[in-house]
């Protein structure tokens, strides 16, 4: 061992020990901080299923591959980062003796070939990701005039990296590329020295080895030692950086993502959409008969109120901006960016970490009181307009590759504002008062629930206990009171009647499902409405329910089961499609003109119903898709109780979606949700396109039958 090897070995092993110690200490500190979060007992159990889900999503990169090109590059870097660890171990042998290599496998042909190809693949992949980031730099994609920046300045560009800490990403990409370069350098030197027996095991290195022609053997051996040291220093500097920057999610996610995915809300792998996460008190769904707001915070008001899973979410964010790129609020100049919401909470968490830990230590030592002034998140960390801009469309959750539950956190913050602080938009007061007094957000007379059925040439049966009906038709508040949605209700009822389906409605016994109350943050009102509806549905013996409103479908089908309501709920497009396929609804006339379909968020992303509406439309029309469709559909702007709120900031979401629909050249926009129908109709009108019709699929189906019947009648005359 020469002088060079002695010096490099001392530096390498000392630096490694320091980096490992600091990294482990930081990791344990992060774990201790996350464990200070409020309890969440809903994440227990299903260990085997959770492990399978975690392995599938991490090793298979199932979420990342939703964006195929970037996903494949990240997949290569992921495996390169972990599987090239043996090459790092080899560097320790090389700083001791440049002739040494890994025991057993060091000269194994398959290892040499595999490590060479993986190193090259990792290098190409990291360069690709670097190029993507360069091409999408925020300053190169300034916001166009029609998408002005929000008052909060969170949308100065259309880049998904807007608001991300770019230096961290570039540092990590440079680190990985340097490691790749060091490994390839050592391999080319060893090929030049003749230490690789078979050139086919190092094809790329063999091509490049000529660069060392003319160098002496001693110089090359010294170079191996020095490059090995560089590999060690660069590799462990990465972990040292993580230790010094606990909020560096783009680095820490390589550790925390495994746990964040394991503890996701749905053990089977489904994203955290559909049912809203129940409000938790002491880690369990709230029981308002027992909960005390004086001692049990309703929702989240301070960083300490978040559950440990929330704190883990914040620590895992990679700042990739996928959520931001899909967010309807951010895309229309609102102050909400799902990414920035999470990173702001993360930064606040680590600012408060010393105080939270000090309080926990004092409590463990038996202190009666701990004098730490809690900092309210709303108004100091998160602007209220950020929360009220959310439509709960779920696009952020759908796209997040590490399963962060943005919508759940927004709902928890809203719950605290509404139930603890009585702080919410003035328009919401009217909606909540109408729900409390009239059982519907419009404030209409409950006795008029069946007014929509007037004019039908058959009697709509009312559900009763022991009644002879297969489906209970849940009309919903919009279907009962909104004049446009009433047409859909009549169309559905007529189609079911003509198809011979035995159905009934609740009539005056039906009340709002509570969707808007829950998503605006009034969990208590939601539970009152839900319990009333479950009692009514169980009394009449409802088993199968058909709904025209995806919000009703989602609430009854996914949320009522928590309070004893177990029903098979289908969307009207699903049932009507089955009836068409069975030949019970005929004939069908081809739709005249170009048609596009808008995916309602609560039908599509939240309940994964994408194909049935399209298949039903396909029986009588040709569908021209908008650029954003299916999982990436763009919201109409009505969800999250935004149907009842004004939209003074930025471009209106419904106008953005209407512009996209109109741009397809379609003269008909088919929808499957009364809220979407209202919003898109207003958006199309705002665009000055009164010639474009927004209409429910059921009405189109009923109309096609009427057209065919009219033609048949004319022919018989």
């Amino acid at each position: 061992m020469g002088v060079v090897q002695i010096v490099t070995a001392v530096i390498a092993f000392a630096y490694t020990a320091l980096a490992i110690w600091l990294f482990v200490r930081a990791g344990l500190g992060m774990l201790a901080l996350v464990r200070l979060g409020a309890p969440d007992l809903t994440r227990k159990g299903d260990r085997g299923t959770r492990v399978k889900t975690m392995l599938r999503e991490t090793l298979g990169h199932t979420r990342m591959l939703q964006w195929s090109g970037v996903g494949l590059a990240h997949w290569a870097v992921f495996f390169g980062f972990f599987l090239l660890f043996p090459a790092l171990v080899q560097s320790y042998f090389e700083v001791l003796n440049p002739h040494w290599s890994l025991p057993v496998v060091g000269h194994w042909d398959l290892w040499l070939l595999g490590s060479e190809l993986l190193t090259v693949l990792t290098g190409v992949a990291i360069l690709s990701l670097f190029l993507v980031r360069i091409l999408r730099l925020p300053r190169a994609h300034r916001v166009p005039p029609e998408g002005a920046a929000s008052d909060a300045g969170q949308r100065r560009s259309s880049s998904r990296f807007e608001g991300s800490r770019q230096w961290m990403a570039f540092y990590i990409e440079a680190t990985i590329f340097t490691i790749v370069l060091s490994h390839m350098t050592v391999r080319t030197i060893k090929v030049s020295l003749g230490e690789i027996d078979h050139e086919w095991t190092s094809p790329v290195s063999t091509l490049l080895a000529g660069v060392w022609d003319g160098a002496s053997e001693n110089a090359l051996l010294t170079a191996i030692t020095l490059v090995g040291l560089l590999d060690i220093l660069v590799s462990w500097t990465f972990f040292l950086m993580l230790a010094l920057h606990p909020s560096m999610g783009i680095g820490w996610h390589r550790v925390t993502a495994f746990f964040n995915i394991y503890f996701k809300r749905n053990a089977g792998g489904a994203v955290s959409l559909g049912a809203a996460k129940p409000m938790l008190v002491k880690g369990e769904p709230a029981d308002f008969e027992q909960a005390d707001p004086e001692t049990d915070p309703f929702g989240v008001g301070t960083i300490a109120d978040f559950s440990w899973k929330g704190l883990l979410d914040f620590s895992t964010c990679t700042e990739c901006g996928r959520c931001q790129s899909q967010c309807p609020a951010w895309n229309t100049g609102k102050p909400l960016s799902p990414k920035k919401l999470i990173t702001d909470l993360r930064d606040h968490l680590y600012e408060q970490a010393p105080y939270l830990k000090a309080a926990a230590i004092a409590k463990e030592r038996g202190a009666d009181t701990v004098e730490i002034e809690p900092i309210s998140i709303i108004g100091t960390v998160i602007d209220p307009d950020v929360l009220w801009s959310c439509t709960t469309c779920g696009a952020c959750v759908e796209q997040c590759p590490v399963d962060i539950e943005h919508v759940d956190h927004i709902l928890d913050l809203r719950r605290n504002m509404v139930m603890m602080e009585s702080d919410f938009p003035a328009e919401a007061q009217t909606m909540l008062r109408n729900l409390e007094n009239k059982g519907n957000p419009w404030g209409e007379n409950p006795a008029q629930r069946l007014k929509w059925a007037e004019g039908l040439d058959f009697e709509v049966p009312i559900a009763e206990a022991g009644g002879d009906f297969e489906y209970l038709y849940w009309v919903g508040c919009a279907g009962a009171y909104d004049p446009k949605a009433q047409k859909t209700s009549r169309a559905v009822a007529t189609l079911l009647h003509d198809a011979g389906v035995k159905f009934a409605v609740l009539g005056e016994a039906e009340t709002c499902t509570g969707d808007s109350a829950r998503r605006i943050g009034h969990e208590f009102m939601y539970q009152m409405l839900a319990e009333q509806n479950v009692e009514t549905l169980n009394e009449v013996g409802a088993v199968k329910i058909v709904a025209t409103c995806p919000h009703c479908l989602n609430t009854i089908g996914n949320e009522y089961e928590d309070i004893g309501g177990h029903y098979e709920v289908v969307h009207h497009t699903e049932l009507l499609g089955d009836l068409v396929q069975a030949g019970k609804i005929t004939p069908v006339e081809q739709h005249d003109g170009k048609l596009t379909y808008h995916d309602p968020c609560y039908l599509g992303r939240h309940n994964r119903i994408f194909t049935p509406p399209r298949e039903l439309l396909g029986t009588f029309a040709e569908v021209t898709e908008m650029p954003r469709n299916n999982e990436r559909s763009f919201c109409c702007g009505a969800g999250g109780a935004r149907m009842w709120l004004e939209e003074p900031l930025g471009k209106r979401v419904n106008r953005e979606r209407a512009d996209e629909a109109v741009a397809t050249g379609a003269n008909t926009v088919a929808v499957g949700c009364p809220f979407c129908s209202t919003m898109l109709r207003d958006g199309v009108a705002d665009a000055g396109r009164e010639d474009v019709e927004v209409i429910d699929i059921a009405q189109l189906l009923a109309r096609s039958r009427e057209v065919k019947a009219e033609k048949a009648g004319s022919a018989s005359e």
Side-chain angles (χ1 to χ4, degrees), residues 55 81 112 215 218 382 416 435 450 492 505 659 677 707 711:
L55 293 176
F81 186 84
L112 292 172
N218 287 337
I382 305 297
N416 187 270
L435 286 177
L450 265 177
V492 171
V505 299
D659 287 345
S677 179
V707 171
K711 289 184 177 180

Side-chain angles (χ1 to χ4, degrees), residues 588-607:
V588 175
E589 179 73 5
Q590 191 70 15
H591 174 74
D592 184 25
K594 199 171 184 180
L595 177 147
T596 190
Y597 170 65
H598 164 75
D599 286 280
C601 300
Y602 273 79
L603 186 66
R605 271 189 297 269
H606 281 274
N607 283 278

Side-chain angles (χ1 to χ4, degrees), residues 57 61-68 70-71 160 264 270-273 318-328 331 338-339 393-407 605 608 610 628-634:
E57 288 194 18
H61 260 46
T62 52
R63 305 296 304 285
M64 283 294 300
L65 289 172
Q66 290 182 99
W67 294 24
S68 55
V70 172
R160 64 185 173 98
K264 66 191 299 182
V271 292
S272 299
L273 295 175
T318 71
E319 301 184 31
C320 67
R322 289 190 178 202
C323 59
Q324 180 173 282
S325 72
Q326 305 297 303
C327 177
N331 274 284
K339 175 182 70 179
C393 70
C396 52
V397 180
E398 175 73 37
Q399 289 298 324
C400 182
V402 291
D403 282 305
I404 292 172
E405 299 164 359
H406 314 72
V407 173
R605 271 189 297 269
R608 323 310 296 175
F610 300 108
R628 293 176 287 196
N629 59 74
N630 286 277
E631 290 90 346
R632 296 194 194 182
S633 178
F634 196 79

Side-chain angles (χ1 to χ4, degrees), residues 639-657:
R642 289 231 41 103
M643 177 77 177
W644 318 106
L645 305 181
E646 295 298 329
E647 193 175 345
L649 302 174
K651 182 180 181 181
R652 294 182 66 86
V653 175
N654 62 338
R655 175 61 190 275
E656 173 82 2
R657 185 57 164 171

Side-chain angles (χ1 to χ4, degrees), residues 10 34 98 104 282 288 314 330 388 456 473 547 580 656 675:
V10 170
V34 168
V104 183
K282 293 184 172 67
F288 285 101
F314 307 154
W330 187 78
W388 299 124
L456 293 176
Y473 175 24
V580 168
E656 173 82 2
F675 286 3

Side-chain angles (χ1 to χ4, degrees), residues 426-462:
E427 319 91 272
Q429 179 63 53
T430 302
M431 182 268 289
L432 292 172
R433 185 169 56 249
N434 288 338
L435 286 177
E436 184 176 7
N437 297 331
K438 301 292 186 178
N440 67 86
W442 276 272
E444 297 288 341
N445 189 340
Q448 300 297 313
R449 275 271 177 184
L450 265 177
K451 189 175 179 61
W452 64 270
E454 294 178 359
L456 293 176
D457 57 5
F458 60 93
E459 184 178 353
V460 176
I462 305 299

Side-chain angles (χ1 to χ4, degrees), residues 526-568:
Y526 158 74
Q527 286 203 16
M528 288 195 303
L529 294 168
E531 288 170 1
Q532 179 181 338
N533 281 325
V534 168
E535 182 179 354
T536 301
L537 290 169
N538 289 345
E539 281 181 359
V540 301
V543 176
K544 295 181 179 180
I545 298 175
V546 57
T548 54
C549 176
H551 297 264
C552 296
L553 175 146
N554 180 68
T555 303
I556 299 172
N558 295 327
E559 298 181 349
Y560 280 9
E561 62 183 20
D562 292 338
I563 51 176
H566 302 279
Y567 317 106
E568 179 186 334

